[in-house]
Amino acid sequence: LVTMAIHAAEAIKMHRGAALPALRSLPLHWPPPRSTALSRTACMVAGAAATTGEDDSSSQISEWAKQESLVVTKGPHVKVAGKTLNPCGLFICILTMSVCACCYPPLLLSYALSRVFDNKKRRMVDYIVNIWAKMSMLLCTYRPKVTGLEHLPHTDEAFMFIPNHTSFLDIFSMSGFVPRRMKYISKIEILRIPLIGWAMQFAGHIAIRRMDRRSQMQTFKDAITTLENGNSVVTFAEGTRSKDGKLKKFKKGPFKMSSKAGVRIIPVSICNMYRWMPSSALLPVAFPRQVEIKLHAPVETAGRDEAEVSKEVFGIINRGLPPYQQAAPGAVV
């Protein structure tokens, strides 16, 4: 922290009148990344390029190595339950909880009014949650690039959003920067977190106990009811976070829900989030940068085979991801 403060003072001194850009350019990791050999993924690319005779393999390897090098840069850190925790992650956690606490007075008022006048959608609560998520991320100097907004119609049509999943920041990013109020299907442990989990319950998000068959059936019914009530729902079809950032096999549930409720699916590719919060980290290892949320064209579900829809959505999301996050060739969908 002292070293980072010294760097901040030097940067501000060098960039008089441009303090904020200078701060944004600081090395958020310490010590700086070491010059290492190519990552395993880049080596695999090198082998593939050698066998196919591709001429541009060097630039591709260089780009992939550059992308993956950020994943392993954690700076000063400790291990908590086997996971990495550093000052940046702790700051993001404290900031997020503080902003949530500040939002609670209007949140409670919105919840009370929604229960009386808008219990099926609770849009007032959704707007407060949107403000909380967006303010938390902006105060961390993080704003993802969102593309494909033209695929969201101006009507209040309900959709099933299906993104890839690598971090809890996926939820903050979707809630704060996609201009559509949404309900999430989330594991019950998240909804039990003080302040954050309570806010999600007030908004009417859907809980699931992943190892409880009865809970899964209730979640299925709740999700269909929520969609039929005119709410868009976000569910992570992989079922859990990807441990290596690559797209994993989809579960069947989201596609059965979409078909049963008669809603279209919007595939979402969340690019580069894994670099800032790998599975080895308890909290983000740095303030996210170069994250992009790609909203793809809606996929029809009416009258179609669910397995066929799942395969199409998987392919769309996979093609929208950077190469190091794409599923391995021949992966089972």
Side-chain angles (χ1 to χ4, degrees):
L1 289 174
V2 172
T3 305
M4 291 171 65
I6 292 172
H7 276 286
E10 291 175 350
I12 293 172
K13 184 177 180 180
M14 291 173 60
H15 301 270
R16 295 179 187 276
L20 185 56
L23 284 171
R24 285 180 174 172
S25 68
L26 290 180
L28 296 176
H29 311 285
W30 192 264
R34 300 186 304 272
S35 178
T36 59
L38 292 176
S39 67
R40 285 180 297 172
T41 304
C43 290
M44 291 170 62
V45 176
T51 57
T52 57
E54 294 180 4
D55 295 330
D56 62 341
S57 59
S58 296
S59 60
Q60 189 177 18
I61 293 168
S62 175
E63 178 62 24
W64 283 34
K66 179 182 176 183
Q67 288 175 323
E68 291 204 335
S69 65
L70 290 173
V71 174
V72 297
T73 310
K74 305 182 183 72
H77 63 276
V78 296
K79 290 289 186 178
V80 178
K83 299 280 188 178
T84 298
L85 175 63
N86 70 0
C88 184
L90 189 60
F91 172 80
I92 292 174
C93 179
I94 294 172
L95 176 65
T96 302
M97 295 292 283
S98 299
V99 175
C100 182
C102 292
C103 289
Y104 251 75
L107 179 68
L108 292 174
L109 177 61
S110 299
Y111 173 66
L113 293 174
S114 295
R115 286 300 299 263
V116 177
F117 300 107
D118 185 28
N119 194 41
K120 289 184 176 181
K121 294 185 177 181
R122 304 186 188 181
R123 283 292 178 261
M124 293 179 67
V125 180
D126 289 338
Y127 283 117
I128 301 298
V129 171
N130 166 255
I131 292 171
W132 160 46
K134 192 169 188 175
M135 287 300 299
S136 296
M137 297 299 95
L138 290 177
L139 288 172
C140 292
T141 69
Y142 160 59
R143 186 186 187 100
K145 178 183 179 182
V146 182
T147 59
L149 292 175
E150 67 274 10
H151 298 310
L152 295 178
H154 297 295
T155 62
D156 200 24
E157 178 184 352
F159 290 99
M160 174 71 82
F161 287 84
I162 298 184
N164 58 301
H165 189 30
T166 62
S167 161
F168 73 82
L169 290 179
D170 297 339
I171 298 175
F172 279 87
S173 300
M174 292 282 291
S175 296
F177 299 99
V178 175
R180 180 74 66 160
R181 307 288 75 83
M182 300 169 286
K183 313 296 185 184
Y184 289 83
I185 298 178
S186 180
K187 58 183 181 180
I188 188 66
E189 292 81 4
I190 299 295
L191 272 66
R192 289 173 177 167
I193 298 175
L195 297 181
I196 293 177
W198 302 340
M200 294 178 71
Q201 292 184 53
F202 292 155
H205 295 284
I206 304 164
I208 182 172
R209 295 179 178 86
R210 289 185 296 189
M211 304 306 294
D212 186 336
R213 179 65 179 171
R214 182 176 297 178
S215 172
Q216 292 174 9
M217 293 301 297
Q218 186 59 48
T219 298
F220 184 86
K221 295 176 182 177
D222 291 344
I224 292 173
T225 301
T226 300
L227 288 165
E228 291 176 342
N229 287 339
N231 296 293
S232 291
V233 171
V234 179
T235 183
F236 299 105
E238 295 163 284
T240 187
R241 287 174 53 188
S242 171
K243 295 187 182 301
D244 59 3
K246 296 182 182 295
L247 189 64
K248 301 302 180 187
K249 181 181 177 181
F250 282 174
K251 305 290 186 182
K252 299 178 182 178
F255 305 97
K256 292 182 179 292
M257 295 173 190
S258 304
S259 179
K260 185 75 172 178
V263 300
R264 296 190 289 171
I265 294 172
I266 292 190
V268 183
S269 301
I270 302 180
C271 307
N272 297 321
M273 185 66 80
Y274 180 77
R275 292 161 58 176
W276 310 103
M277 190 176 172
S279 57
S280 59
L282 182 65
L283 294 168
V285 295
F287 300 125
R289 293 287 184 273
Q290 299 176 334
V291 174
E292 183 176 1
I293 300 174
K294 298 179 181 178
L295 304 173
H296 301 285
V299 174
E300 297 290 345
T301 62
R304 297 184 60 189
D305 179 68
E306 293 158 8
E308 176 189 347
V309 174
S310 175
K311 186 175 182 178
E312 180 180 349
V313 172
F314 184 95
I316 293 171
I317 295 174
N318 195 49
R319 289 190 294 273
L321 293 171
Y324 76 99
Q325 283 192 264
Q326 291 180 1
V332 179
V333 179

